Amino acid sequence: MNLICINCPRGCELTVDRVNDEIKVSGHACPRGEAYAVEELTNPTRMVTGLVKVAGTRKPLPVKTRVAIPKGKIAQVTNLLANTTVLAPKVIGDVVISDVCETGVDVIVTANC
């Protein structure tokens, strides 16, 4: 399998081979590339960003997951965000949803309102 590492601007072209239970990675210029390839094969995760409604206004509020969540939960999280309404005021870093979709990750505010 071929991947392009997204951990830094270098964008190393990685070659990943799985032999039995061992994962071999080549093409990485730093340890982060190897860690990325192993994670991508065993438990791929992504940050999720989105918008939630704010009661009493038409302007939505931008939010994101505090850390990356499993890729398999992305649709469930975005659906939940689309159906979430919060009350103002909110400041950057406020938690909008705790333990979103049982991932153990909070959804936080990324702008003040």
Side-chain angles (χ1 to χ4, degrees):
M1 169 188 278
N2 294 323
L3 297 171
I4 295 179
C5 181
I6 60 172
N7 278 333
C8 74
R10 178 176 255 159
C12 294
E13 294 182 28
L14 309 174
T15 301
V16 186
D17 295 308
R18 181 176 276 193
V19 180
N20 298 327
D21 288 337
E22 189 177 343
I23 297 172
K24 296 184 181 207
V25 181
S26 61
H28 56 286
C30 70
R32 289 174 26 186
E34 184 174 13
Y36 169 77
V38 170
E39 182 177 294
E40 198 62 18
L41 258 58
T42 58
N43 182 29
T45 60
R46 297 292 184 272
M47 294 290 293
V48 174
T49 62
L51 300 169
V52 296
K53 297 176 195 95
V54 179
T57 182
R58 292 175 49 158
K59 184 177 179 186
L61 181 64
V63 296
K64 71 173 188 168
T65 54
R66 190 179 302 272
V67 295
I69 63 166
K71 279 178 71 174
K73 293 275 188 171
I74 291 174
Q76 192 177 355
V77 170
T78 56
N79 286 337
L80 180 60
L81 293 178
N83 293 301
T84 298
T85 301
V86 298
L87 297 173
K90 295 288 184 219
V91 296
I92 295 172
D94 281 355
V95 175
V96 173
I97 304 170
S98 297
D99 187 23
V100 67
C101 299
E102 299 177 354
T103 61
V105 177
D106 295 337
V107 174
I108 60 172
V109 172
T110 61
N112 298 325
C113 77

